[in-house]
Structure formats: structure tokens, C-alpha cells
Amino acid sequence: MKNVEVAIEQGGAAAAETFQPRIVGFLCTWCSYAGADQAGSCQLEYPANVSIVRVMCTGRIDPEFVLKAFRAGADGVLVLACHPGDCHYKEGNLRAAQRHAVLVRLLEQMGIERERCRFDYVSAGEGEKYAQVISEVVSSVAALGPLSINS
Amino acid sequence: MKTGVYFCNCGSNIAEKVDPERLREALERSGAEMAWFRTHPFLCSEEGKQFLEQELREEMPDRVVLAACSPREHEGTFRRVLAEAGMNPYLMQMVNLREQIAWVTADPEQAVAKAAAAVNGALRRVALHEPLEKSELEAAPEVLVVGAGPAGLKAALTLADAGRRVTLVEKSPVIGGLPVRYEELFPNLECGPCLLEPVMGELLHGDKAELVEILTLSEVSEVAGSFGNFLVKIRRRPRYVDPVQCIGCGECAAACPATLPNPYNGGMDERNAIDFAFTGGLPSVPYLDPSACTRFTAGSDCEACRAACPMGPELVVFEEQEEIVERRVGAVVLATGATLYDCSGFPNLGYGSCPDVKDALEFERLIASTGPTGGEVLTSAGKAPASVAIVHCVGSLDDAHRPYCSGICCSYAFKFNKILQERLPEAKIHHLYRQLVAPGKEEFRLQNSAREYAGAQFHRYDRLAELEVVVDGGQKLRLAGGELVDAELVVLCPALVPNPDAEKLAALLDLPLDGFGFFEELNGRIDATRSKLRGVYLAGTCQGPTDIRGAATQGAGACGALLSELVEGRTIELDPCIASVDAERCAGCRVCARVCPFRAIGFDAEQGTSEVNPVLCRGCGTCVAACPMKAIRGNHFTDAMIEAELEGVLA
């Protein structure tokens, strides 16, 4: 995270102005998608770079989807789940967290920075956190620049 | 394929930020495969729904994309419109323009670009949608209730009142659970049996009694099937007495020469081999304990009970055998109750070694008029104690034992105080507690009464290990500070723990238990009467510590959930958006079964493949993502659909 902040401060910001990253956000229906809707109801503005793909549960997210997203041109991927203990399906979010932990190591071996694939928890009541996570992920991916495997 | 896109302006909510005309142009420019793009000011209005229905009837698209609000708001609404128009409701995909684009994007140009990406994803996804049908399942309306304490009784009665046939299984020879053994209940010192007897009487002899089959001395031994169709086997131990003809006179017990310590009085007195559990226990039919009857233990030919029976010797049936009773039920209510934490794990408190250290259940019998002393509070030496120590929080609020507060112990400890106050006005009472907790709108009265009683002293302790029962010329208790106080009788108030049967039942039903062994509820706050297994409901202390009111309320509450889900004469509707296994591809590794949170995946041993139970599957898709062979398909969320959407939004 430190490096990202430094990158943003040192001219990364200038690059971010011109470079608009494309990011895919996988959201579970019950918590994080509802959190995104709440951000909307509160009319919280955030960057438009993240396209949402809704799934019933983050447990549904096959790591291959993430790889396919990068292959299809995404500069970053975001996976948002229910907080531990809140999962509508009991523990799908924990499976997603486990898979993410393994996946980012694989991504790093492939030369894809771990900051390009963020996992976080957003509840149905956390519209503000949702907007904040979107802003953070957009600026951190922007600072990294376009994904080289795509260029 | 003909896909129609409908754009809802939502008044100005969407159209103000996402200009429909510019969106249409952007989609057309990108070569999106849509047959038409039409707008409406308010698609969810009555007029809007009529417009859409008419459009679908006339234009007959193959697929529909609705660029409108959140599917969480109106997916159901528009699916119904599709169905009304004669289209399969699953051939539609919503795009959330309002909450996730129009309301959150400052720049209209970016909003249009983001909207175009989203609609493009939806177009590619919806092309792969399949018509899905809800399937239906015949369900048995009968219900099994396990446990005949306050929760189970209330559940059985509520169900019978609704006209349901109920099989009520109780492992002991009597119904009523623990409270029928208490004479007076907190918070108002009502009589326990009097409170429960009307409920029990109603079940045994009331208008609806014929709907309720009560199986005492019985335990569930096998469960197969799932919600709507459970096949249950119940092992019924012999009572050796004909319950139909018996009039409950007790002549057999009076004549019986064999005795054993009475488990219902904590072994503080004896019962005959054939006897009632305790006076007033229902059903009012004695039972024969073969562990004490000499016919069973020594092969004698004693027939004293038979000879004494005024209704005829055939009422005592020595030949009765254990039997397996089979019942088909649609749902199960678990009300197996709780018990007290075993106090023998605290050697410093002398439980089990000092006869005048009792746990709360034993003390309840000691103060009951039907108990071993006829309600006189006496020590083991038969003397009225001049001092009584009541130890709260035994094994509770203690990480080494049970970290939780059971919430009822202080209230009954204050009740003990009140009863001792009346029966032994000279006795000194010591309360030892870690914390005093008496929640509820009435419970404070007993607490105040105990706190104000001049004969009672309160001593706080930090750790139970600081206390010690000392027997040295009269029983004493060492307090946390080292001081010794007389405590001729010590009453321990232990944590409430699940009945050990819960574990057996959990294994039979494949039902999860929480960290303390209570049945895990679907949701601890909003859905505490439903278990994590569909069709299995929870009531009373098998779900967590509670008082009689809580247990009875939960018993009735569980029936509310049950009756709304298992409606007589109606089939169970199964959601089509669930997982299914392609047996051809399945390698039988069973990773799917291990990750399934709902135990919905079984195994066909003959075929060597996994199979999804459509009744239990909730469609989360965890197994779909986990399958290394890609042999599981998540209906409506297939890999192909998700990937098409993914590629669409990035195109």
C-alpha cells in the first residue's frame, strides 16, 4: 500500500489523470451489491471506472473469472463480500477470501501486482465504505498504470 | 436472436444523468446486438408494466434487457410482467443504471460510457439465459416434534391447533421437561406443573388430542430424506405398562419389593422398580425400570405388581419389547432442551463428594412438596440448615468452561432466596456471584427482594477457584478474601448447556452445532427458530439458554415459520436457480460436498458421482466454483453467463 501512496504522490497522480483504468467488480447480491445500492441511494459520487458483475455469493467466484477479466482487458479486479459471519450462505465469503489469498500469489508470479486484485468486505449498510473502496481501488490501479499483459 | 432493450427514465432519476439517446448511439456504435432500444418514463408504474407487457406480446423478443433500477428492487416485478406476457421470466437481465450509475457518477459522459458497458454485458449474458421452470414437490404436512418440554409442548399444541398431525417424541417417561419438576417459578412464584398442566392436558385429552401422538421413552434413531419428506425411525423403549388401560392408581408401585435411587429426585430418595417418575408426572402411568426389577436382573418370577393391579394382571406387560416406529413427516421441530453444566469439574466446590452441595436442579426437588423431603429444606443429616450458600455463575462467564451468561440462574437464585426466606427465616443466606444478571420486566422484583433481605449477604468473586467448600466440623465456604462462612447447604447455579442428545440428533440430521453444542440457527437474530437445514426448526434451550417464556414463545414461533413454509395441500416450490451435477463429468472427488454450506450435496455410491438435493440447495454457487472438473452447473449463473457479462462490460 505504501508504494502505491508514494506512486500517487510522485507524479502517479498526473499519469492517473490521463489513464483511466478499467476495473471489474464482483459483488455478492446480499451484502456488497446492496451496499453499492445504498451508496446510490445516498447519492455518493465515486469514479465510474468499475463495472459490476453481480453473483449470488462471492463463493461462486471462480478464480478463473478473475484471470479472464485480466485477459479481457481489465486493469484491476475487485471482489467484495459480506463481512465474516454475515454471509447469506453462511461461509461463501470465507471461501472467497481463501481463494483470493491463493490467487494473488499466483497473479504475482504472473507479473500482475497484488494491488490489482483487491478483496474486501462491504455490508448492505456500508454505502460510504463502498464508495471509498471504489475510489481507493481506482486510484491504486491508476497509479500502477495499464496492465502490461494487455498492452 | 432478438433482444429488446427497455430503458426506464425513472422520471428524471436515470435520464438526467444517462441520456438514453446517447446511450443508444453508444451501443449501436459498439455493434451491440440489440433488436431495439425503447424508453419509458416509469417502467415500474402500472402504465409502464402494461406498456412492457403489450410490447412483449406484440414484438415477441427472445430476450429482454431492462436498463432501469437495482434488480434488488424490481427484478421480481419485471419477471412477473414477462410471465404475464407469456415469456419465461428468466429470459431477462436487469442493468442497474439508477443506484450504481446515474446516482453516483458526476460526469454525464462517463455515466453514459459506464451504462453502455453494463448494457453490453447484459446483452451478452442474456443471450445465454435459459428458460427455467420452478419445480414442485409433494410434501407431507405431518410434523415431528422432538422433546416434550415447554418449547416442544407449545409447538405440538400450536401445530395441532392448526390441524396438523404431530408425533411428539420424548425420551423420558414423562412430558413437561424440566419445569414440571419445579414447584415455583420465577419471576412470580407460579406453580410450574400448574402452568404446564393445561398445555399437557390439552395434548393428552383435549379436542385436538387425536392429532397428537405422544411417544414417551422414545428417541429418534434414524432420519432419511429432506424438507417435505423426512422418513424418521423412532426407537421406543418398553414401559411394561399398558398406558391405555392404566388408571394411574399406583397399587403396583406400592406392592413392588425392588428399589433404586430415583433419578428424578437426583438420587436423593428411592423409587420402586415399577413406579411413577414423580408424583403428578404425566402421563399418569407408572413405568418399570428393568435395571432394578428382579425379573430382569435376577430372573425371578416376582409378580407382585401384576397381582396388585386392580385393572387386571395383563396391564403389566413383562414381555413388551423395544420397537421401531416409522413416521413420514414434512418437517421437524427440535426442542431437546438443555441441562446443567456438570459441577463435578470443580473439586473445590465439593459437588459429588459432599452430600450437602447440591446443584440447582437437585435443590428444586428439595424444595418441592413432591420431592424427597416433601418440600422441607433439610441437609443430608435430616436437619434444617442454619446457613445456605448460593453460588452463581458456576461454569458461566468463564473462558475455561462456558464464556456465556445463561441469563436465568440469578433469577432462580433469587427465587431460592425468597423460598428460603419463608421456610427457614432464621437461616443466613450467602450469594456468591461473579455478576448479577436478571433481565426482564418482572424479574427485578425477586432480585430487589433478595437484595433487601436482611438475612442475605452478597459476595463478589472473580474466579470460581477462589471459593472452597470446607468440611471441618460443619460445612463452611471459604470466600474470595479467605474468610470462612458457615454454609451447611451449598447450592450451585451452573451454566445451562445443551442436552447431550443434541449431538446425536445433529449427526442423524447432518445439522451443524455451534461452538457450545447448541443447534446453530439460520440467523441468530432474525431467524433463530429455523435451523440451517431446511425443514428443521429450533425451539427452546436446544438453540441457546432461555427461560420458560423464551422456550414457549420460540415453540410457537417455530410453528409460525413451519406453517408458512409447509402449507397443507400445497406443494413445495423449488427455486430453479440452483446447482446441478453433470454425472458424466463428475469424478466423484466430493470437494463440492465439503464446501456446501447447506449439506445439499449427496453421493451416489453406485455411480460414484455427487448429486445435488434441489430441496436443500440455495444456489450460492460455492460448489460450482470449487469443482475441479467443472462438472457442476450453477443455473442462471453459469460460467458461460458470468464470463459473457465480464467480456461484455470490458469490450
Side-chain angles (χ1 to χ4, degrees):
Chain A
M1 249 353 257
K2 271 260 157 59
N3 291 339
V4 173
E5 281 161 22
V6 171
I8 294 172
E9 276 169 27
Q10 300 173 347
E17 295 260 316
T18 50
F19 171 57
Q20 289 292 339
R22 294 198 300 169
I23 298 167
V24 173
F26 291 101
L27 269 54
C28 80
T29 294
W30 305 97
C31 291
S32 50
Y33 194 88
D37 279 357
Q38 208 217 28
S41 303
C42 300
Q43 314 231 341
L44 304 173
E45 277 176 16
Y46 55 78
N49 308 57
V50 185
S51 289
I52 300 308
V53 173
R54 180 175 68 93
V55 287
M56 294 312 290
C57 175
T58 47
R60 174 68 185 92
I61 300 168
D62 191 324
E64 273 193 34
F65 296 162
V66 178
L67 298 175
K68 285 203 169 140
F70 284 123
R71 211 172 302 143
D75 300 300
V77 172
L78 174 65
V79 174
L80 295 181
C82 309
H83 284 277
D86 288 354
C87 177
H88 187 80
Y89 304 103
K90 301 200 285 193
E91 56 201 22
N93 54 347
L94 305 181
R95 298 276 170 213
Q98 289 169 341
R99 288 172 188 156
H100 176 263
V102 176
L103 180 63
V104 286
R105 289 170 64 183
L106 177 72
L107 291 175
E108 280 185 323
Q109 286 180 13
M110 295 164 67
I112 301 176
E113 301 88 339
R114 60 165 58 223
E115 289 81 8
R116 291 192 189 273
C117 183
R118 174 160 173 181
F119 179 90
D120 213 326
Y121 303 103
V122 168
S123 77
E126 291 178 330
E128 254 179 71
K129 180 174 177 189
Y130 178 78
Q132 189 196 331
V133 168
I134 295 288
S135 301
E136 283 172 11
V137 81
V138 170
S139 58
S140 62
V141 174
L144 291 167
L147 181 61
S148 54
I149 61 162
N150 291 328
S151 54
Chain B
M1 179 159 302
K2 201 163 68 170
T3 305
V5 178
Y6 292 91
F7 180 100
C8 176
N9 292 347
C10 194
S12 60
N13 279 300
I14 297 173
E16 195 174 63
K17 202 51 82 51
V18 182
D19 180 343
E21 208 33 52
R22 297 195 48 209
L23 175 61
R24 189 179 59 76
E25 284 166 19
L27 287 166
E28 278 170 358
R29 253 200 324 277
S30 70
E33 287 187 35
M34 57 178 181
W36 61 83
F37 180 101
R38 289 174 191 160
T39 63
H40 191 276
F42 274 117
L43 266 181
C44 68
S45 66
E46 283 311 306
E47 195 269 321
K49 287 187 280 186
Q50 278 167 20
F51 158 81
L52 185 60
E53 188 184 329
Q54 182 109 13
E55 281 270 321
L56 300 180
R57 280 185 191 285
E58 287 170 6
E59 303 279 3
M60 302 206 322
D62 300 306
R63 301 286 188 274
V64 178
V65 167
L66 292 165
C69 55
S70 173
R72 291 175 60 249
E73 183 135 351
H74 278 309
E75 190 170 55
T77 310
F78 294 125
R79 276 189 181 161
R80 282 191 293 276
V81 174
L82 261 75
E84 285 291 314
M87 256 185 100
N88 185 285
Y90 295 93
L91 300 179
M92 178 267 284
Q93 177 72 3
M94 283 189 80
V95 178
N96 189 344
L97 292 187
R98 192 178 67 182
E99 281 85 347
Q100 296 185 10
I101 299 177
W103 279 346
V104 293
T105 312
D107 175 25
E109 207 159 305
Q110 287 183 1
V112 168
K114 186 177 175 186
V119 174
N120 204 28
L123 280 165
R124 295 205 193 181
R125 184 191 211 278
V126 81
L128 302 174
H129 280 198
E130 288 159 351
L132 299 173
E133 301 290 343
K134 286 184 176 162
S135 55
E136 286 177 25
L137 191 81
E138 294 285 336
E142 291 82 9
V143 182
L144 172 76
V145 178
V146 188
L153 290 172
K154 191 72 180 176
L157 189 59
T158 307
L159 292 165
D161 278 341
R164 292 302 176 91
R165 289 201 168 275
V166 178
T167 299
L168 177 59
V169 172
E170 166 58 45
K171 83 174 162 181
S172 82
V174 288
I175 60 173
L178 293 178
V180 284
R181 301 194 221 167
Y182 314 154
E183 197 133 291
E184 292 172 296
L185 307 176
F186 75 80
N188 298 321
L189 303 180
E190 297 138 299
C191 147
C194 312
L195 196 88
L196 285 161
E197 262 164 22
V199 180
M200 295 192 283
E202 197 68 27
L203 285 168
L204 288 165
H205 315 294
D207 290 346
K208 299 285 163 54
E210 61 176 38
L211 291 175
V212 184
E213 171 191 40
I214 301 177
L215 301 177
T216 52
L217 292 159
S218 300
E219 287 175 72
V220 175
S221 61
E222 234 180 285
V223 185
S226 52
F227 180 45
N229 293 284
F230 288 106
L231 193 66
V232 185
K233 287 187 181 167
I234 301 152
R235 185 184 300 121
R236 188 182 194 186
R237 299 193 305 280
R239 183 180 274 270
Y240 303 106
V241 176
D242 179 346
V244 181
Q245 295 193 59
C246 175
I247 55 166
C249 66
E251 293 291 340
C252 54
C256 178
T259 58
L260 72 156
N262 185 357
Y264 290 88
N265 281 336
M268 289 182 283
D269 66 349
E270 298 208 309
R271 55 162 277 154
N272 295 84
I274 188 167
D275 210 337
F276 298 102
F278 50 89
T279 312
L282 290 174
S284 184
V285 179
Y287 72 102
L288 184 149
D289 189 328
S291 74
C293 172
T294 55
R295 288 186 72 96
F296 294 86
T297 56
S300 83
D301 55 3
C302 173
E303 295 219 348
C305 51
R306 262 189 176 162
C309 180
M311 301 301 289
E314 69 279 5
L315 262 70
V316 184
V317 194
F318 296 127
E319 304 73 27
E320 200 181 335
Q321 296 292 320
E322 181 177 288
E323 60 170 330
I324 298 290
V325 181
E326 274 192 32
R327 293 288 176 269
R328 180 174 172 256
V329 296
V332 179
V333 178
L334 297 178
T336 50
T339 183
L340 299 183
Y341 192 65
D342 182 7
C343 296
S344 54
F346 306 98
N348 53 317
L349 296 181
Y351 183 78
S353 56
C354 304
D356 290 316
V357 178
K358 304 287 182 201
D359 72 16
L361 253 172
E362 291 162 351
F363 189 67
E364 290 281 3
R365 294 310 294 157
L366 209 54
I367 53 179
S369 60
T370 58
T373 57
E376 267 189 85
V377 183
L378 298 174
T379 63
S380 56
K383 165 179 170 284
S387 52
V388 181
I390 301 175
V391 187
H392 301 227
C393 315
V394 177
S396 308
L397 305 172
D398 186 340
D399 287 341
H401 298 278
R402 291 292 182 275
Y404 53 81
C405 167
S406 299
I408 63 164
C409 330
C410 286
S411 287
Y412 69 65
F414 298 138
K415 172 188 82 177
F416 292 161
N417 193 98
K418 185 83 180 167
I419 290 166
L420 286 168
Q421 202 175 323
E422 281 160 10
R423 298 197 195 162
L424 301 173
E426 303 297 323
K428 265 210 144 346
I429 307 171
H430 296 280
H431 285 268
L432 296 108
Y433 66 96
R434 192 177 278 124
Q435 279 183 47
L436 293 177
V437 178
K441 64 177 182 181
E442 295 170 290
E443 285 71 3
F444 67 93
R445 289 196 194 96
L446 279 175
Q447 175 168 14
N448 290 351
S449 144
R451 298 302 297 258
E452 286 157 14
Y453 179 50
Q457 282 186 23
F458 286 75
H459 317 269
R460 193 174 180 281
Y461 67 89
D462 274 330
R463 293 179 309 115
L464 206 57
E466 295 165 359
L467 308 180
E468 191 190 358
V469 171
V470 185
V471 188
D472 185 16
Q475 188 170 274
K476 292 184 169 55
L477 186 73
R478 193 186 306 281
L479 302 181
E483 185 194 343
L484 274 173
V485 295
D486 287 338
E488 292 178 19
L489 187 64
V490 174
V491 183
L492 306 178
C493 305
L496 220 53
V497 295
N499 207 305
D501 297 336
E503 211 173 316
K504 271 189 272 172
L505 268 169
L508 287 177
L509 283 157
D510 213 358
L511 200 64
L513 297 172
D514 66 17
F516 307 117
F518 294 105
F519 289 114
E520 215 177 312
E521 48 310 80
L522 188 60
N523 183 292
R525 265 124 309 274
I526 205 89
D527 242 328
T529 59
R530 294 203 286 171
S531 78
K532 293 207 157 158
L533 187 66
R534 201 171 171 207
V536 176
Y537 303 85
L538 307 176
T541 46
C542 69
Q543 179 260 322
T546 187
D547 59 4
I548 296 167
R549 179 192 48 194
T553 306
Q554 223 179 344
C559 295
L562 188 159
L563 291 167
S564 65
E565 288 181 282
L566 187 71
V567 181
E568 193 155 15
R570 207 197 282 168
T571 50
I572 299 174
E573 207 172 72
L574 301 179
D575 189 341
C577 301
I578 55 171
S580 61
V581 177
D582 177 354
E584 292 288 303
R585 302 187 75 154
C586 175
C589 71
R590 297 198 237 183
V591 163
C592 49
R594 283 205 295 277
V595 300
C596 176
F598 301 102
R599 323 243 170 156
I601 303 183
F603 193 69
D604 182 335
E606 227 166 82
Q607 299 257 343
T609 54
S610 290
E611 51 190 13
V612 176
N613 181 334
V615 182
L616 299 181
C617 177
R618 302 200 190 190
C620 66
T622 302
C623 60
V624 186
C627 177
M629 299 301 290
K630 301 219 170 286
I632 310 185
R633 185 190 155 79
N635 280 337
H636 208 57
F637 283 89
T638 63
D639 285 355
M641 289 174 198
I642 294 170
E643 286 166 15
E645 183 175 359
L646 189 63
E647 283 161 10
V649 299
L650 289 167

